[in-house]
Amino acid sequence: MPWDLKSDRPIYTQLIEQIELMICSGIYALGTKLPSVRDLAQEAAVNPNTMQKALAKLEEDGLLYTNRTSGRFVTEDADIVKQVKGRLALSQINDFLKKMKNLGFQNKEIISMVENLLESKEDDYHEHNS
Amino acid sequence: MSTILECKNLTKKFGGKNALEAVDLNISRGRIVGLLGPNGSGKTTLIKLCNELLTPTSGEILIGGYHPGIKTKKIVAYLPENTYLNDWMKVSEIINFFKDFYTDFNSEKAFDMLKRLNIDPQDKLKTMSKGTKEKVQLILVMSREAQLYLLDEPIGGVDPAARDYILDTIISNYNENATVILSTHLISDIERILEDIIFIKEGQIVLTKTVDEIRDEEGKSVDALFREVFKC
């Protein structure tokens, strides 16, 4: 996954978000070893100290842990990942709702639009598979 | 964290003009620092003072605890704004020259970087374009295992692809005992790899912060803040 960093927000918070996303989407599965700080920093083209800071925060949050001799790993606790997933989903939904409100839609309209869209997608899915 | 570079009340006058005025600076080891300011703000003067190419009018500089001199030159790798290499030499000859000169020079690293940038070590410097010469010079500097790298405009003359490679080299060379200070105008290209920012204006330090502090407090990039602070 390419690193997508915006220039108007702290790099450190963006690194945290992107690593969280990689863990939630299974790019880094539960219990897998992460690349070294230097390799991750190089991949994202950021300062190694900034990457180190982001990883330390993720460790503090329990999403990562360090084994002194063998490196840094993704947690094996599926509940923690689930919580993070929930939090990320919530913020996506909030963003979406905000934009829809700006467009002038009411809650009920939004719900029915989403339902309709999902239904039509489901139809597509069944057609493709029949 | 221990200090690698310290300036105390550093002043440099050229005639009646203050090129640097009462500069106090403290830079730790293991940082990548951007020295940013418009033309004529004193960036090169500061770097030259650190390399003993100029002497302070008053105040002092300490690098690893020493005043600029033989001892500091052993631990400082300096990329000047102008080339000082002999045009008639081949790159491979210059590498031997550097190896002879600096005990911390790693020729293997130099040849490796030349290969990555498609530069033939058998080519003579005078046959090269301006940008390629700059690359060679930067490779020489980055091939030293120094404690302080002072890079005066390291990416100005090279193409964007080579720029990426150079920044990559700076990151991959990173070690917690070495500090890189680089001066540049091309802020948006380098701000991702910087940690600390020094804004210098008319010989005075106007701001020292980390990149993330600036983005957090100002909600904008260092590049955008620079344009605002130094608006003409």
Side-chain angles (χ1 to χ4, degrees):
Chain A
M1 193 172 97
W3 297 76
D4 176 27
L5 301 172
K6 304 271 180 286
S7 65
D8 54 353
R9 292 175 51 223
I11 298 165
Y12 149 83
T13 37
Q14 297 185 67
L15 292 177
I16 292 175
E17 289 165 4
Q18 299 215 3
I19 297 168
E20 280 177 346
L21 203 61
M22 286 187 223
I23 293 172
C24 287
S25 62
I27 292 175
Y28 293 123
L30 291 180
T32 49
K33 188 171 188 281
L34 284 184
S36 69
V37 174
R38 188 186 294 250
D39 287 347
L40 279 172
Q42 206 164 351
E43 202 185 290
V46 298
N47 189 298
N49 287 332
T50 311
M51 184 57 82
Q52 170 66 34
K53 207 170 124 193
L55 294 176
K57 177 71 171 75
L58 288 165
E59 211 166 285
E60 205 179 289
D61 295 346
L63 213 49
L64 302 178
Y65 70 93
T66 297
N67 183 319
R68 280 203 186 282
T69 50
S70 48
R72 202 177 249 114
F73 295 82
V74 178
T75 179
E76 274 151 30
D77 187 343
D79 281 345
I80 296 180
V81 177
K82 213 170 148 188
Q83 277 172 26
V84 173
K85 238 180 191 169
R87 175 162 56 74
L88 291 178
L90 216 58
S91 92
Q92 290 288 327
I93 295 170
N94 276 327
D95 284 352
F96 165 74
L97 288 179
K98 215 161 148 192
K99 283 178 189 160
M100 291 301 278
K101 293 262 161 73
N102 280 341
L103 287 171
F105 288 103
Q106 300 299 315
N107 286 352
K108 276 193 179 151
E109 289 174 292
I110 298 171
I111 290 170
S112 75
M113 280 173 86
V114 170
E115 273 173 355
N116 286 337
L117 190 71
L118 286 176
E119 252 164 50
S120 73
K121 286 214 166 149
E122 212 148 83
D123 288 347
D124 280 354
Y125 179 77
H126 287 304
E127 271 166 32
H128 282 301
N129 286 278
S130 59
Chain B
M1 228 183 295
S2 75
T3 301
I4 181 74
L5 172 68
E6 194 179 2
C7 299
K8 289 185 213 159
N9 204 22
L10 184 68
T11 300
K12 177 67 187 175
K13 290 183 184 178
F14 293 118
K17 194 178 178 292
N18 279 351
L20 282 183
E21 211 177 319
V23 168
D24 286 308
L25 259 187
N26 229 318
I27 295 173
S28 307
R29 289 174 191 270
R31 315 289 281 193
I32 303 177
V33 184
L35 180 61
L36 314 175
N39 305 107
S41 55
K43 303 186 293 288
T44 298
T45 303
L46 180 60
I47 290 176
K48 281 186 173 170
L49 283 164
C50 293
N51 287 293
E52 215 197 358
L53 295 172
L54 295 171
T55 51
T57 307
S58 62
E60 67 175 341
I61 305 177
L62 292 171
I63 297 171
Y66 300 106
H67 290 115
I70 294 171
K71 278 193 174 143
T72 64
K73 285 174 190 179
K74 280 186 185 159
I75 57 169
V76 175
Y78 169 46
L79 179 79
E81 49 174 359
N82 300 316
T83 176
Y84 55 91
L85 300 167
N86 288 316
D87 241 6
W88 51 268
M89 284 177 108
K90 288 179 188 167
V91 176
S92 59
E93 289 169 337
I94 301 174
I95 286 178
N96 282 330
F97 191 56
F98 263 65
K99 200 180 163 193
D100 210 25
F101 214 83
Y102 296 109
T103 50
D104 62 0
F105 190 79
N106 182 341
S107 354
E108 210 174 297
K109 214 167 172 180
F111 282 117
D112 195 47
M113 284 195 259
L114 286 170
K115 205 171 158 195
R116 277 285 299 270
L117 289 172
N118 282 321
I119 299 171
D120 184 349
Q122 296 314 315
D123 281 352
K124 283 181 182 169
L125 217 53
K126 67 174 164 195
T127 66
M128 293 177 172
S129 73
K130 186 167 173 272
T132 309
K133 274 185 209 164
E134 284 192 29
K135 287 179 202 168
V136 169
Q137 213 163 339
L138 188 70
I139 287 171
L140 292 168
V141 171
M142 294 311 293
S143 298
R144 286 186 55 197
E145 319 272 355
Q147 293 178 33
L148 179 63
Y149 297 86
L150 292 170
L151 314 177
D152 201 354
E153 292 281 351
I155 54 171
V158 305
D159 61 83
R163 212 171 278 173
D164 282 348
Y165 175 71
I166 287 164
L167 297 183
D168 204 44
T169 307
I170 293 175
I171 297 175
S172 59
N173 256 323
Y174 173 84
N175 87 64
E176 55 197 30
N177 280 316
T179 282
V180 180
I181 301 178
L182 50 99
S183 81
T184 187
H185 306 288
L186 299 165
I187 302 172
S188 58
D189 281 334
I190 57 149
E191 69 173 274
R192 281 162 69 142
I193 72 153
L194 296 179
E195 194 170 13
D196 301 306
I197 297 290
I198 300 170
F199 273 7
I200 181 168
K201 188 180 188 178
E202 291 163 16
Q204 290 178 309
I205 307 288
V206 289
L207 179 119
T208 51
K209 277 211 168 101
T210 68
V211 172
D212 276 353
E213 273 169 4
I214 289 175
R215 291 183 176 203
D216 201 21
E217 290 162 17
E218 312 276 341
K220 57 179 75 125
S221 65
V222 178
D223 188 59
L225 183 67
F226 182 94
R227 286 166 203 264
E228 201 179 285
V229 171
F230 298 107
K231 198 171 193 313
C232 299

